[in-house]
Amino acid sequence: MTGPLTPVRAIALRRMTEADLGEVMRIERAAYAVPWTEGIFRDCLRANYCCLVADRAGRLIGHTVMSVAAGECHILNLCVAPSHQGRGLGRRLLRRTLALARQREADTAFLEVRASNQGAIRLYQAEGFDEIGLRKGYYPSAEPGVDPSRSRREDAVLMARAL
Protein backbone atom coordinates (compact mmCIF):
# COMPACT_ATOMS: atom_id res chain seq x y z
CA MET A 1 0.00 0.00 0.00
CA THR A 2 1.29 3.44 -0.87
CA GLY A 3 1.22 6.48 1.36
CA PRO A 4 -1.13 9.42 0.96
CA LEU A 5 -0.68 11.56 -2.10
CA THR A 6 1.13 14.82 -1.54
CA PRO A 7 -1.09 17.65 -2.76
CA VAL A 8 0.30 19.66 -5.65
CA ARG A 9 0.86 23.20 -4.51
CA ALA A 10 -1.02 25.73 -6.56
CA ILE A 11 0.89 28.17 -8.73
CA ALA A 12 -0.42 31.72 -8.55
CA LEU A 13 0.23 34.14 -11.40
CA ARG A 14 0.39 37.66 -9.98
CA ARG A 15 1.82 41.10 -10.69
CA MET A 16 5.56 41.44 -10.22
CA THR A 17 6.69 43.96 -7.60
CA GLU A 18 10.09 45.45 -6.83
CA ALA A 19 10.22 43.15 -3.79
CA ASP A 20 10.25 40.19 -6.22
CA LEU A 21 13.34 41.31 -8.11
CA GLY A 22 15.84 39.29 -6.06
CA GLU A 23 14.05 36.05 -6.90
CA VAL A 24 13.39 37.15 -10.48
CA MET A 25 17.14 37.67 -10.89
CA ARG A 26 17.83 34.24 -9.37
CA ILE A 27 15.64 32.69 -12.08
CA GLU A 28 17.14 34.84 -14.86
CA ARG A 29 20.69 33.84 -13.91
CA ALA A 30 19.77 30.16 -13.69
CA ALA A 31 17.94 30.14 -17.02
CA TYR A 32 20.05 32.40 -19.24
CA ALA A 33 23.74 32.74 -20.02
CA VAL A 34 23.04 36.43 -20.72
CA PRO A 35 20.26 37.43 -18.29
CA TRP A 36 18.45 40.74 -18.12
CA THR A 37 19.74 43.10 -15.45
CA GLU A 38 17.78 44.11 -12.38
CA GLY A 39 17.76 47.65 -13.80
CA ILE A 40 15.90 46.48 -16.90
CA PHE A 41 13.21 44.89 -14.72
CA ARG A 42 12.97 48.05 -12.60
CA ASP A 43 12.53 50.14 -15.76
CA CYS A 44 9.75 47.81 -16.96
CA LEU A 45 7.95 48.11 -13.63
CA ARG A 46 8.30 51.92 -13.69
CA ALA A 47 6.96 52.02 -17.28
CA ASN A 48 3.93 50.05 -16.05
CA TYR A 49 4.56 47.15 -18.40
CA CYS A 50 2.60 43.99 -17.70
CA CYS A 51 5.03 42.11 -15.42
CA LEU A 52 3.88 38.82 -13.93
CA VAL A 53 5.47 36.22 -11.69
CA ALA A 54 4.58 32.59 -11.10
CA ASP A 55 4.52 32.04 -7.34
CA ARG A 56 4.46 28.55 -5.85
CA ALA A 57 4.10 28.55 -2.08
CA GLY A 58 5.97 31.83 -1.71
CA ARG A 59 8.82 30.91 -4.07
CA LEU A 60 8.99 32.36 -7.58
CA ILE A 61 9.44 29.88 -10.42
CA GLY A 62 8.84 32.02 -13.50
CA HIS A 63 8.07 35.46 -14.86
CA THR A 64 7.03 37.37 -17.95
CA VAL A 65 7.20 40.98 -19.15
CA MET A 66 5.05 42.51 -21.89
CA SER A 67 4.52 45.99 -23.28
CA VAL A 68 1.27 47.09 -24.95
CA ALA A 69 0.93 50.12 -27.21
CA ALA A 70 -0.95 51.13 -30.37
CA GLY A 71 -2.94 47.90 -30.53
CA GLU A 72 0.12 45.65 -30.31
CA CYS A 73 1.76 43.73 -27.53
CA HIS A 74 5.39 42.76 -27.39
CA ILE A 75 6.40 39.88 -25.15
CA LEU A 76 9.80 41.02 -23.97
CA ASN A 77 10.70 38.24 -21.55
CA LEU A 78 9.20 34.88 -20.63
CA CYS A 79 11.30 32.79 -18.28
CA VAL A 80 10.72 29.61 -16.28
CA ALA A 81 13.18 28.36 -13.68
CA PRO A 82 15.13 25.45 -15.20
CA SER A 83 13.89 23.10 -12.43
CA HIS A 84 10.28 23.79 -13.51
CA GLN A 85 10.65 23.74 -17.30
CA GLY A 86 8.75 21.20 -19.37
CA ARG A 87 5.71 21.18 -17.08
CA GLY A 88 3.45 23.65 -18.90
CA LEU A 89 4.28 26.74 -16.87
CA GLY A 90 5.70 28.62 -19.87
CA ARG A 91 2.49 27.94 -21.79
CA ARG A 92 0.40 29.11 -18.82
CA LEU A 93 2.42 32.33 -18.48
CA LEU A 94 2.14 32.94 -22.22
CA ARG A 95 -1.61 32.40 -22.28
CA ARG A 96 -2.20 34.69 -19.29
CA THR A 97 0.00 37.37 -20.85
CA LEU A 98 -1.91 37.19 -24.15
CA ALA A 99 -5.23 37.37 -22.30
CA LEU A 100 -4.04 40.55 -20.58
CA ALA A 101 -2.97 41.95 -23.95
CA ARG A 102 -6.48 41.34 -25.29
CA GLN A 103 -7.96 43.12 -22.24
CA ARG A 104 -5.73 46.08 -23.11
CA GLU A 105 -7.16 45.99 -26.65
CA ALA A 106 -4.10 44.64 -28.43
CA ASP A 107 -4.91 42.77 -31.63
CA THR A 108 -1.42 41.48 -32.51
CA ALA A 109 1.34 39.93 -30.40
CA PHE A 110 5.05 40.00 -31.26
CA LEU A 111 8.12 38.40 -29.70
CA GLU A 112 11.72 37.53 -30.44
CA VAL A 113 13.29 34.22 -29.51
CA ARG A 114 16.84 32.94 -29.88
CA ALA A 115 17.14 30.92 -33.08
CA SER A 116 18.79 28.16 -31.01
CA ASN A 117 15.88 27.93 -28.54
CA GLN A 118 13.92 25.25 -30.35
CA GLY A 119 11.81 24.35 -27.31
CA ALA A 120 10.51 27.90 -27.02
CA ILE A 121 9.96 28.14 -30.79
CA ARG A 122 7.86 24.95 -30.68
CA LEU A 123 5.81 26.35 -27.78
CA TYR A 124 5.15 29.62 -29.61
CA GLN A 125 4.20 27.80 -32.82
CA ALA A 126 1.83 25.55 -30.88
CA GLU A 127 0.23 28.69 -29.44
CA GLY A 128 -0.39 30.18 -32.89
CA PHE A 129 2.73 32.27 -33.49
CA ASP A 130 4.26 32.32 -36.97
CA GLU A 131 7.78 33.28 -37.95
CA ILE A 132 7.69 36.64 -39.71
CA GLY A 133 11.36 37.52 -39.89
CA LEU A 134 14.87 37.18 -38.57
CA ARG A 135 16.85 39.79 -36.63
CA LYS A 136 20.50 39.16 -37.45
CA GLY A 137 22.88 39.39 -34.48
CA TYR A 138 20.08 40.44 -32.10
CA TYR A 139 21.22 38.54 -28.99
CA PRO A 140 24.61 38.44 -27.28
CA SER A 141 26.11 34.99 -27.63
CA ALA A 142 25.19 32.48 -24.94
CA GLU A 143 28.60 30.82 -25.09
CA PRO A 144 29.59 29.89 -21.52
CA GLY A 145 32.53 31.86 -20.17
CA VAL A 146 32.69 34.30 -23.09
CA ASP A 147 32.31 38.02 -22.43
CA PRO A 148 29.08 38.92 -24.32
CA SER A 149 30.64 42.18 -25.58
CA ARG A 150 33.42 40.19 -27.29
CA SER A 151 31.49 37.21 -28.58
CA ARG A 152 29.59 36.36 -31.70
CA ARG A 153 25.96 37.39 -31.66
CA GLU A 154 22.96 35.13 -32.21
CA ASP A 155 20.02 35.71 -34.52
CA ALA A 156 16.50 36.15 -33.19
CA VAL A 157 13.44 34.66 -34.82
CA LEU A 158 10.71 37.32 -34.94
CA MET A 159 7.27 35.79 -34.41
CA ALA A 160 3.74 37.19 -34.40
CA ARG A 161 0.14 36.12 -34.03
CA ALA A 162 -3.26 37.72 -34.17
CA LEU A 163 -5.15 38.06 -30.91
Side-chain angles (χ1 to χ4, degrees):
M1 181 167 173
T2 61
L5 294 176
T6 304
V8 175
R9 293 185 177 152
I11 298 171
L13 302 185
R14 62 170 176 78
R15 289 186 62 103
M16 182 188 296
T17 67
E18 285 208 22
D20 294 321
L21 293 181
E23 282 200 73
V24 167
M25 292 308 302
R26 174 187 53 80
I27 296 166
E28 279 284 303
R29 289 184 192 108
Y32 298 131
V34 185
W36 274 19
T37 65
E38 188 170 324
I40 293 171
F41 284 103
R42 284 187 195 287
D43 289 346
C44 291
L45 288 169
R46 281 189 206 112
N48 202 31
Y49 287 178
C50 178
C51 304
L52 299 177
V53 293
D55 184 325
R56 182 175 189 192
R59 182 144 171 98
L60 301 189
I61 57 174
H63 54 269
T64 186
V65 176
M66 170 189 68
S67 66
V68 179
E72 299 176 351
C73 83
H74 195 142
I75 298 171
L76 302 169
N77 189 320
L78 194 153
C79 183
V80 174
S83 61
H84 288 79
Q85 291 176 1
R87 301 179 190 179
L89 180 57
R91 184 178 313 274
R92 186 171 167 201
L93 279 164
L94 178 62
R95 288 179 177 175
R96 174 69 61 87
T97 302
L98 295 176
L100 291 169
R102 282 186 212 94
Q103 288 175 8
R104 295 178 182 195
E105 300 183 357
D107 57 21
T108 307
F110 294 94
L111 59 83
E112 289 90 13
V113 59
R114 283 184 183 273
S116 64
N117 192 344
Q118 292 300 305
I121 291 170
R122 283 191 299 274
L123 167 65
Y124 298 138
Q125 288 171 334
E127 291 298 314
F129 282 84
D130 293 310
E131 181 177 336
I132 61 169
L134 195 67
R135 296 191 194 275
K136 292 285 191 186
Y138 185 79
Y139 287 108
S141 174
E143 297 173 81
V146 176
D147 177 357
S149 67
R150 296 178 176 264
S151 68
R152 294 176 288 123
R153 296 187 64 84
E154 184 175 354
D155 297 343
V157 176
L158 179 61
M159 303 184 85
R161 68 162 276 184
L163 297 176

